[in-house]
Amino acid sequence: MELQFNADEIAFREEVRAFIADNLTEEMKQGMLRGGYLIRDHVIEWQRILNKKGWGVPHWPVEWGGAGWSPIKQSIFTEELQLAPAPRPLSFSVYMVGPVIIEFGSEYQKKRFLPRIANSDDWWCQGFSEPDAGSDLASLKTNARREGDYYIVNGQKTWTSYAQYADWIFCLVRTDPTVKKQMGISFLLIDMKTPGITVRPIQTIDGGHEVNEVFFDNVKVPSENLVGEENKGWDYAKFLLSAERVNLARLGVSKERLQRARELAARTPYQGRPLLEHDGFRTKLAALEVELKALEITQLRVLSAEGQSHGAPDPASSILKVKGSELQQATSNLLVQILGPDALRRQDDAFDDWSSMITANYFNWRKVSIFGGSNEIQKTIIAKSILGL
Amino acid sequence: MELQFNADEIAFREEVRAFIADNLTEEMKQGMLRGGYLIRDHVIEWQRILNKKGWGVPHWPVEWGGAGWSPIKQSIFTEELQLAPAPRPLSFSVYMVGPVIIEFGSEYQKKRFLPRIANSDDWWCQGFSEPDAGSDLASLKTNARREGDYYIVNGQKTWTSYAQYADWIFCLVRTDPTVKKQMGISFLLIDMKTPGITVRPIQTIDGGHEVNEVFFDNVKVPSENLVGEENKGWDYAKFLLSAERVNLARLGVSKERLQRARELAARTPYQGRPLLEHDGFRTKLAALEVELKALEITQLRVLSAEGQSHGAPDPASSILKVKGSELQQATSNLLVQILGPDALRRQDDAFDDWSSMITANYFNWRKVSIFGGSNEIQKTIIAKSILGL
Amino acid sequence: MQDSLVRLLQRSYAFDHRWKYEAATPGWSREIWAQFAEIGLLALPFTSESGGLDGTPVDTMIVMEQLGRHITLEPYLSTIVMAGGILRRAASTEQHESISTKVIDGSLIVSLAHTERGTFGSPSRVGTQAVRSGDLWQISGHKSCVLHGDSADLLIISARTSGAPSDAKGITLFAVDPRATNINIQSYALHDGQRASDIQINSVLVPHSALIGCVDDGFRILQSAEYETLAAVCAEAVGVMSELHQMTVDYLKQRKQFGVPIGNFQALQHRAADMYIALEQARSMAMYAAMMSQTDDKTAIAQAVSSAKVQIGRSAKLIGEEAVQMFGGIGVTMEFKAGHYFKKLTLLEQFLGHADHHLELLTSGPGLFELE
Amino acid sequence: MQDSLVRLLQRSYAFDHRWKYEAATPGWSREIWAQFAEIGLLALPFTSESGGLDGTPVDTMIVMEQLGRHITLEPYLSTIVMAGGILRRAASTEQHESISTKVIDGSLIVSLAHTERGTFGSPSRVGTQAVRSGDLWQISGHKSCVLHGDSADLLIISARTSGAPSDAKGITLFAVDPRATNINIQSYALHDGQRASDIQINSVLVPHSALIGCVDDGFRILQSAEYETLAAVCAEAVGVMSELHQMTVDYLKQRKQFGVPIGNFQALQHRAADMYIALEQARSMAMYAAMMSQTDDKTAIAQAVSSAKVQIGRSAKLIGEEAVQMFGGIGVTMEFKAGHYFKKLTLLEQFLGHADHHLELLTSGPGLFELE
């Protein structure tokens, strides 16, 4: 049991911090502070900076560009990026489709896609969710009919993040409607430039454009873009959904929010003196910090356990998702509370400070307990897989 | 809509207060402050004092001794008793079996039992719960077999409050095992002195003796003690369970606890000055007071609505039960928090102040969200009856 | 009037209407406003001497709840409740004729410009100055987040005429034409689609007759109007919550997952029940605030509106966040109704002090039950 | 040793054993204590020079969690962790020989008598006085809630030897024989069945050699021992919670209502998951407190143990109350296990400061993440 970083890990953290300090531009940082949304050019540029350093896809096998780090080091790396804050890596590329191709893809697919992912030459998006499926992902309806060397894809995906920037989409499609719903699904890689694909933006309540609907109308996909075996897609999807272990709790994000909360409260007057000096506020802050510290240790415990068992995802990682999302939401709400009356203003170019985005971020972040396996789903996983209920 | 008392109601409240002040002995009051448990002699004595005044069973029809008060006045009366605090009336007698006999009993039963209930000449207890039934009350197994002019009762009841003092028990018994479970239940009145009845105490975690198991071994009950019709007992039980409207929220009890919390916090030093002067504590107190005020208004709304519709219980009264029990528990926990390190001591004759009973009361009051229709059952009622889910 | 209002809103305030009103200048519907005038809504809180209906805070509560149910955009709160509350209390007979009459007939929009940036928690902190010279007053300062400042035909500006920056005494109210030169209005949208403005006042001259109420006596009036506004905001929030809760329950019945309506899942049933309890507790406190606002006891009123705001804040957060969670993805999309109700609740929580602020106010007073 | 302990407790600390130990004098089992000595449990935190095992706070954590799982009654926390922590830090070689050795072999029970009534939140407030005359010290005062005071063979009494009543400097520790005349011990049971005493000390005379540590320097030692004790209490609470949570989950699987196990109801499943999350968060913080106690940075230790106590308090309340609620009626009966675990959690929450107290301590320090 090791709940504190050892000397090697601390040195590593310093190295990461120094690298970020030397390479992250103020523009990128401000973009992160304001938005929370990915800024396309920043994501690409930053990924290339990291990739050049050999840190673009540190969690991949070394042969495909991985850094050979322990889970703890990966976690330190991720957290430092979040604390900076630096542009988030495009998880659909480096955490989702990349590992799936490494594990199940053909040699052709590996050579063609992996280097381009590591260098963000291609932008990937995820075609899993459908309008009527919700948490019941496997009930998807988008179908792919085999015709010679092609699949003909028809249907609709939704909640597709950043599809507007995407060069490729990885999709779950139904290739056999006659069997049990999980058994007839395949995993296809589709070029977004193929005729028949339409992207329709969905505006979120904060006014942002992150998610989209993607329509497929007789889209021709070469069969070489099928990952693994036909009708085995559900297995690959499960692998993918459990792959992004290191980033479930998004601790660095919440920590960075708490830092900002202190900063903002120090310059926000309340009853004539800085809010940060009020006991009531400090109590709220301390209570959140305690929960966050507890989650940090819980994450270290999960990571050490995984580091020892090599691979099999711990169902306890559902804790990381539930508590992690609760804390992201609680910290975003804390910022709203600090703003108080100023929280009412919609973002406006007249107020160019990041504080003008706080309320919008709070609205937007209601999604973190919904997307990527809702907290209800996570609790059911805990009840069934861990508690045996 | 009338959310404040009118002049008549305020005058009534003053009258009740004056009567309590004149008649409640210090011994009774201290008994209530210390225990929360009914003290047999106090309950009987106080009931007789009230009954002499004509206030023993104010909610009954006037012909059987009722006072003819509006629901609001009944609620004022109850709350003032709780605030005093005066010995609680024995609800099994005056709120439960009494109203059932009035509504469904024979003339013989009315004449025989009602005046004795009003004057607490008989002590009643309730034989509903059984060991394997829990919230599924209707799955009860205690059976009554008709033999001539008698029923022969066999089985076991549990959680029977104050059975150790009881002269009579009203029981739900199975008289027809062949039909749907709710259809074969009858409502019997049983003399506790009948041979074959054994009472076994159950000690609760606070060390008190309030509840019991009651065993029936071939107990002969005259058929004249059947209430209403055979196999209609479930209807009478439902009537009974919805009868104690005026006292569901037990507002006076929680208010009295908050008064005591102020009193105790004023004489408890924390970091060198009275806890009551600390902002953090005052915030907790204020937050509870707000919730209690909201519940008070909600109760007035439910009561006014019932005053107008004469009778049909509002499913919204489940709110009173849920919030009422939460607040009783929250206020009892607040007292524990005020005690701090002194909360560890078990009651001991060395400490004769009521504060020595605080922790025991907190333990004991976990029951209020369990007994009398658990909060889970109440929420299901809200979801189904009000929200239509 | 309540029935007329309900019919009017049902007919003309469907969700797609609302979008149109928000998109066009001035960000709300003048047509609806005219109909409000017609059914007497704008006359409600004014006294009969000044052409009003002598409505009580309870009447206002009933109206605000309906407006909340449709998350309306019109300046009812700012012009009728806030500014109207000040006019009713302090306007002279001449001012009632020149101002109140026009408010009542719908031809005049009035906004209160009181709050300044950075004064949260210090309601009497007024940095805007007014200096008298002869029959004129010269006003300079800056006001923040003036509701509907860009459609106001008249501003009621609070300014310090004596005392230290946070004194309760020494604040005076002035009726000022926003089109005066030397007034610079910068407008923006709030998150609920309503408009608001920051206003820069640079040595604006007004005659002595522009005073509303007496010199140095403005804070008392502001405070009474604010209590009334708080009660109205609580009622509005109850309307928003009611509608959002109903939407959520309807969705639970209709939305299927794993082959059954999600409302069959017990966890969601119990959470919907918790939301219902929170809603009814909030409704009770909104009623309480409105009832108490009718009394004369200022301490009791302050306590009532603060405790109502606390309960409403708690309930709104629970109901808003739970509703979005239960709707899932569509709950966070712009094109779907529920998210807008959630946003409105978030804003109402921050408006005139969030729950924590009002809890803090309560801790310094006597206990809620100590007055009885 | 952990394995031996687990086996010992499984064999000899079933729930009905516990009843017997509690009922007989001294309210715990001397036999078990002897076995603790045998497997080295009592030697754990002492240094090897004084015959101990050089155990770390993490070793103590592992032991305390096991003791918590069986809600044991023996004076391990008071004699080994609290008094032992003081002896390890401050006892002289002679004292180690005369005291520590006997503690380790199980023949001496030592209790710390520091806390006085009404001093909550002011740990350095010591009203008990010690006055020197020649080679003797005369001690007078009153101590409250001394754990296992009635079975103690030796008391470590804190007394003020200089300074004002709340000064950190000026407190001195004395080893005192409780059987001395002029010591009046009034004992009682705590709600978890453990024994404790209020002790009246009336001009008791002790030699200078009874001092543990230096004159006026006791608070530093008390505080370090208290931090260690807090970490141990957190670990104990985690043991209690783990066991209670497991019991609850087992009950949910086995108890049927409306024809199905109640664990099939989704609402209860999700609540059991919430309890599990609370348990793991608490476990993490107990580990954190133990790890940090091994460092030298007093500020960091104070922060770590306070934040652990906050998390443990929150988790314990949730798990304790939810468990009782899910068990229903039997959860509140004396003859059933679960209620006793709930009571133990309630007591641990109040012991050495509840969550609110430690949160208050945290607010006056730097942020938890500001030290990194």
Side-chain angles (χ1 to χ4, degrees), chain A residues 229-248:
Chain A
E229 293 176 51
E230 198 173 89
N231 295 328
K232 297 271 191 201
W234 186 246
D235 293 339
Y236 313 150
K238 280 197 295 183
F239 169 86
L240 177 151
L241 291 172
S242 70
E244 202 191 348
R245 320 307 311 162
V246 90
N247 199 15
L248 273 178

Side-chain angles (χ1 to χ4, degrees), chain B residues 15 21 23 28 42 58-59 79 88 98 101 109 113 126 142 154 164 187 191 213 243 253 255 283-284 300 331 359 372:
Chain B
E15 186 190 354
N23 290 277
M28 288 181 186
H42 291 183
H59 54 295
E79 189 172 316
R88 294 202 302 280
I101 291 174
Q109 288 164 349
F113 294 115
Q126 177 185 34
T142 297
N154 281 285
Q164 70 267 39
F187 195 109
D191 187 334
E213 295 179 292
V253 173
K255 280 189 192 178
T283 304
K284 284 179 82 160
L300 281 171
T331 51
T359 312

Side-chain angles (χ1 to χ4, degrees), chain A residues 89-387:
Chain A
L90 186 63
S91 55
F92 311 105
S93 296
V94 301
Y95 288 113
M96 296 185 181
V97 76
V100 167
I101 291 174
I102 291 169
E103 192 75 18
F104 306 105
S106 64
E107 276 310 302
Y108 158 76
Q109 288 166 349
K110 289 180 192 177
K111 288 197 176 122
R112 172 162 182 196
F113 293 116
L114 294 179
R116 296 182 59 82
I117 288 174
N119 203 46
S120 69
D121 295 329
D122 292 329
W123 186 290
W124 285 83
C125 65
Q126 177 186 34
F128 279 19
S129 295
E130 296 193 5
D132 292 325
S135 288
D136 185 10
L137 194 58
S139 69
L140 59 91
K141 295 203 184 85
T142 298
N143 69 79
R145 196 177 69 246
R146 184 78 179 242
E147 280 191 6
D149 284 345
Y150 289 89
Y151 289 95
I152 309 299
V153 178
N154 281 286
Q156 183 197 344
K157 297 290 175 181
T158 191
W159 312 127
T160 312
S161 297
Y162 301 107
Q164 71 266 38
Y165 303 147
D167 302 300
W168 286 83
I169 183 169
F170 55 94
C171 273
L172 292 181
V173 293
R174 188 158 303 285
T175 36
D176 186 349
T178 64
V179 293
K180 192 162 158 272
K181 60 186 176 183
Q182 287 84 355
M183 312 299 286
I185 292 170
S186 298
F187 194 109
L188 275 188
L189 311 177
I190 306 178
D191 187 336
M192 288 292 282
K193 289 180 293 295
T194 323
I197 297 181
T198 315
V199 175
R200 195 186 78 83
I202 300 174
Q203 201 182 16
T204 43
I205 46 173
D206 55 316
H209 172 206
E210 179 179 25
V211 286
N212 303 271
E213 295 179 293
V214 182
F215 297 88
F216 298 87
D217 180 16
N218 286 314
V219 173
K220 268 178 84 171
V221 180
S223 59
E224 66 192 10
N225 289 353
L226 173 75
V227 172
E229 293 176 51
E230 198 173 89
N231 295 328
K232 297 271 191 201
W234 186 246
D235 293 339
Y236 313 150
K238 280 197 295 183
F239 169 86
L240 177 151
L241 291 172
S242 70
E244 202 191 348
R245 320 307 311 162
V246 90
N247 199 15
L248 273 178
R250 306 219 310 161
L251 282 169
V253 173
S254 293
K255 280 190 191 177
E256 192 265 335
R257 291 278 152 145
L258 283 180
Q259 276 174 8
R260 276 205 262 176
R262 279 183 182 273
E263 195 183 319
L264 188 63
R267 61 176 156 101
T268 300
Y270 174 63
Q271 295 184 336
R273 63 200 166 98
L275 180 61
L276 188 59
E277 291 174 11
H278 287 257
D279 268 359
F281 176 78
R282 294 184 72 86
T283 304
K284 286 179 79 159
L285 199 61
L288 281 174
E289 287 185 343
V290 168
E291 284 194 76
L292 194 56
K293 174 54 82 177
L295 188 62
E296 182 176 59
I297 310 290
T298 304
Q299 174 173 284
L300 281 171
R301 288 170 52 210
V302 172
L303 290 175
S304 327
E306 286 185 7
Q308 280 153 28
S309 73
H310 290 289
D314 189 338
S317 58
S318 285
I319 298 175
L320 305 182
K321 178 65 168 52
V322 172
K323 264 288 156 194
S325 61
E326 284 177 5
L327 283 169
Q328 288 168 68
Q329 292 178 335
T331 51
S332 74
N333 184 258
L334 181 70
L335 285 166
V336 172
Q337 299 283 331
I338 299 170
L339 275 188
D342 288 338
L344 279 70
R345 298 159 183 253
R346 195 182 280 176
Q347 181 211 8
D348 199 295
D349 292 334
F351 313 104
D352 57 358
D353 181 57
W354 53 259
S355 67
S356 67
M357 295 301 299
I358 283 174
T359 312
N361 284 173
Y362 166 68
F363 293 146
N364 182 272
W365 278 18
R366 298 317 303 169
K367 77 183 178 199
V368 299
S369 53
I370 297 172
F371 291 163
S374 71
N375 282 6
E376 287 79 6
I377 293 283
Q378 304 299 333
K379 287 183 188 177
T380 300
I381 290 173
I382 291 173
K384 292 194 193 295
S385 306
I386 302 180
L387 309 182

Side-chain angles (χ1 to χ4, degrees), chain C residues 59-75:
Chain C
D59 296 318
T60 301
M61 174 187 86
I62 292 166
V63 169
M64 289 305 299
E65 182 178 340
Q66 290 306 325
L67 298 181
R69 283 181 176 274
H70 295 263
I71 44 173
T72 56
L73 296 157
E74 286 63 31

